[in-house]
Amino acid sequence: MPNRLAAETSPYLLQHAHNPVDWYPWGDEAFARARAEDRPVLLSVGYAACHWCHVMERESFEDPDTARLMNALYVNVKVDREERPDVDAVYMAALQAMSGHGGWPMTVFLTPDGEPFVAGTYFPPEDRHGMPSFRRVLESVHDAWRTRRHDVARTTASLRAMYADAERGLGASPGGSPGAATGLTARTLERAVRAITARIDTERGGFRGAPKFPATMAMEFLLTQWARTGGPSGGDPELRELPLASFRAMARGGIYDQIGGGFARYSVDAEWTVPHFEKMLYDNALLVRHGVHLWQATDGPNGGDREVRRIVEETLDWLAREMTAPHGGFYSTLDADSEGHEGKFYVWTPAEFDAALADAGLGDAAARLRAYWEVTDGGNFEGKNILLVDRDRPWAAEEGPDPALADAVRRARPALLAARARRVRPGRDEKILAAWNGLMLRAVADAARTLGRPADRAAAERAGDFLANTFVDVGSGRVRRVHKDDVTRIPGFLDDHAALALGFLALHALTLAPRWLALARAIAAACVDAFWDEARGAFYDTARDAEPLVTRPREPTDNALPSGTSLAVELLLHVAELDDVPAYRMIVDRVLASLTEPMARHAPAFGQLLQAADMVVHGATTIVLAGDPEAPALHALATAAAQPFVPALVVTGGTTAGFAGIGAPTPAVAVGRLAATDGAVGHPAGAAYICRHSTCGLPAHTPDAVAAQLA
């Protein structure tokens, strides 16, 4: 018999729909029963691609005896953390306070009022390595609830105080004049650079230690500071080389799928060799956009770094092949497991490897290709081989001195991919999340604008249409969180709104269609209306009309994903640059003023927000492409404008008639120019204006003139 989760759309919840556990989804029904029966709530939080979530399900939630115990003693609630990041954040704070660590699956015992009093992560089915069995935990917590309620009350009171302290710690910040956040200076950014570079593994890339995560936002901040110190004409070379070396090290390691493209979530070792095999949409969104910027920032015989470009394009091809829904939206994750084993889909025995090559007529090159991808009889993962490339050999970039090997590698990839496609695939979480899709829309649009592949442009436009039509209430600017099985639900959080709007701004920069700018404006206004607290001087992650939890979550630090605060600040800065909105600049100043010292001292936790801080300190560069977006001459100007890496870049344009056609105002910074440029000052083909501090230079009518002004 299926349980209540069978009515849900979340793939993670549906995985548990046939457990013998009497699961409830998060909601009033579960807590009403807990109050009526004076039972604690057992809250279990995870996500579809979580390996240890699957392990705990097999060991405990599918076990009839364990399920009977859970059903007899608790009201059991299952939550997909990707659908409800607010619930996850509230109880993760309690878990970290009580245990000193976090992770998933997260197991939290709550009072019927939702207050946590015991928390942990994975529990084994039997006592193991100092960990109590899950059944023993169930019985112990129930005993405390029945016989030591005073201890429970003491714990809940302590956690209430913790939540209150956290609320006070993000209190009101002083105001400031537009463009000058209190205390934020170039010195703040210099301190942040030192804090980040001090943690970097200069031999293997990324931050030191293991497990090793991409740290993409911090690396992107270093790249912006390279450009600020002079870029190609004299910037600090270390600030470019550290991100570039990290990207290359990942691209040549096991964390990157050498055959199918795309990055895994992290490496369990310090060498980038053994990944935690799950692939997340958001990691790849951040890495694609960072890779585009690295390509812009590097030089090669035919433009930017060829290896970086190949990795970006292979990842975009993976996105199109495996992560794009028929309607154009992007799926959330690929599982780490297949057939009950982590990584089984991705690893190779020498015999499997050789057979795939032989089928493609590459048997003569098998020995050399085994050496290239480091395939050995002993393997590097449980007796099998994760494919990776020796980062110290010149062939790593496939541009070394051996063209025959390079040709064999190019021919081998599709052969190995075809052989792998016949295996049982990992599970795919096919829900569409607004925030994650906004990040990927921004990445794909930026890649299309810079690299010029028509397929990427088409993918960005299809995704934009779907996201705008499905997630956004145009009248209010409010966004919903998740779409699955033709149902769009859950009021959006701050990151959903801000990431989606930034994606629309990137699509406007690509197409110059005014629709996307109008949507971004509407969502920016909704961010302020629904999430900004004027008294506190801070953004909350949940809207003021959202379901109340034991505390209203707000987290300004960037973790695996950019925080809602970071994204909202960046969004307001971009809209303020386009529309000259002093109120938005004041909000940005208040947020950054309250976080200036934490950003400098704990910079690795603020990579995205530091990029917004850079925009405040140094100002934006706005490119206005005035004229008909379909005109070849304007397209040539746009292509030239997309080649160099320019920090804090804002791109807009089109014609005044185009904006009037949707009843939207042209951007204030450009209105004086655009008003005269339906004919582009005597040049019907159009013109580009490079603007800083709301002042535009002379019109550029040739690609060379655009390049010269940007340089």
Side-chain angles (χ1 to χ4, degrees), residues 511-538:
T511 65
L512 303 184
R515 174 196 184 193
W516 306 118
L517 179 55
L519 278 169
R521 285 170 166 150
I523 296 171
C527 286
V528 174
D529 179 65
F531 297 92
W532 174 249
D533 187 294
E534 179 66 22
R536 295 281 181 189

Side-chain angles (χ1 to χ4, degrees), residues 456-478:
D456 298 331
R457 180 182 175 118
E461 291 186 290
R462 285 185 68 230
D465 283 335
F466 167 74
L467 294 167
N469 296 334
T470 306
F471 283 87
V472 185
D473 180 86
V474 177
S476 67
R478 295 291 290 273

Side-chain angles (χ1 to χ4, degrees), residues 483-663:
H483 177 87
K484 179 73 169 60
D485 297 337
D486 297 323
V487 177
T488 308
R489 52 191 288 272
I490 303 178
F493 303 102
L494 179 61
D495 63 339
D496 294 306
H497 287 74
L500 205 53
L502 287 167
F504 291 148
L505 286 178
L507 198 48
H508 172 64
L510 172 65
T511 65
L512 303 184
R515 174 196 184 193
W516 306 118
L517 179 55
L519 278 169
R521 285 170 166 150
I523 296 171
C527 286
V528 174
D529 179 65
F531 297 92
W532 174 249
D533 187 294
E534 179 66 22
R536 295 281 181 189
F539 282 105
Y540 282 95
D541 292 327
T542 56
R544 65 181 79 260
D545 57 357
E547 172 194 353
L549 303 174
V550 294
T551 188
R552 188 179 176 192
R554 52 180 174 157
E555 178 52 73
T557 59
D558 302 309
N559 294 301
L561 284 129
S563 73
T565 292
S566 297
L567 294 168
V569 165
E570 189 176 2
L571 172 63
L572 295 189
L573 280 171
H574 278 251
V575 175
E577 182 69 19
L578 290 168
D579 290 352
D580 191 20
V581 187
Y584 286 0
R585 296 190 188 277
M586 291 290 290
I587 288 172
V588 167
D589 285 349
R590 291 190 69 189
V591 172
L592 294 179
S594 67
L595 294 169
T596 293
E597 185 58 26
M599 279 192 295
R601 187 177 299 174
H602 308 292
F606 290 96
Q608 190 77 23
L609 193 61
L610 281 163
Q611 295 168 54
D614 167 85
M615 190 170 177
V616 169
V617 170
H618 293 295
T621 297
T622 300
I623 301 176
V624 183
L625 297 163
D628 180 0
E630 301 302 320
L634 193 69
H635 176 73
L637 299 180
T639 299
Q643 298 316 293
F645 174 61
V646 181
L649 178 65
V650 179
V651 179
T652 188
T655 64
T656 52
F659 279 88
I662 65 164

Side-chain angles (χ1 to χ4, degrees), residues 44 91 139 141 157-158 166 254 316 441 463 639:
S44 177
Y91 295 110
E139 291 166 343
V141 172
S158 174
L316 289 169
L441 174 61
T639 299

Side-chain angles (χ1 to χ4, degrees), residues 90 93-94 97 115 155-172 536 540 549-554:
V90 165
E115 294 186 309
T155 300
T156 57
S158 174
L159 289 168
R160 277 197 301 274
M162 177 201 73
Y163 289 132
D165 287 345
E167 179 79 1
R168 284 190 292 272
L170 290 172
R536 295 281 181 189
Y540 282 95
L549 303 174
V550 294
T551 188
R552 188 179 176 192
R554 52 180 174 157

Side-chain angles (χ1 to χ4, degrees), residues 317-364:
D317 292 344
W318 161 78
L319 176 76
R321 186 180 63 248
E322 298 188 33
M323 298 296 285
T324 302
H327 48 55
F330 304 118
Y331 297 134
S332 294
T333 65
L334 291 180
D335 208 331
D337 296 14
S338 57
E339 301 182 80
H341 296 280
E342 185 178 9
K344 184 173 181 179
F345 181 74
Y346 297 100
V347 298
W348 299 81
T349 65
E352 291 169 336
F353 187 85
D354 289 353
L357 296 177
D359 289 346
L362 287 165
D364 291 345

Side-chain angles (χ1 to χ4, degrees), residues 21 23 39 42 60-61 65-76 134 138:
V21 177
W23 289 117
R39 289 196 198 193
L42 192 164
S60 294
F61 304 148
D65 292 336
T66 303
R68 275 193 291 272
L69 193 60
M70 293 171 67
N71 296 338
L73 304 181
Y74 299 96
V75 176
N76 303 291
F134 187 47
L138 294 172

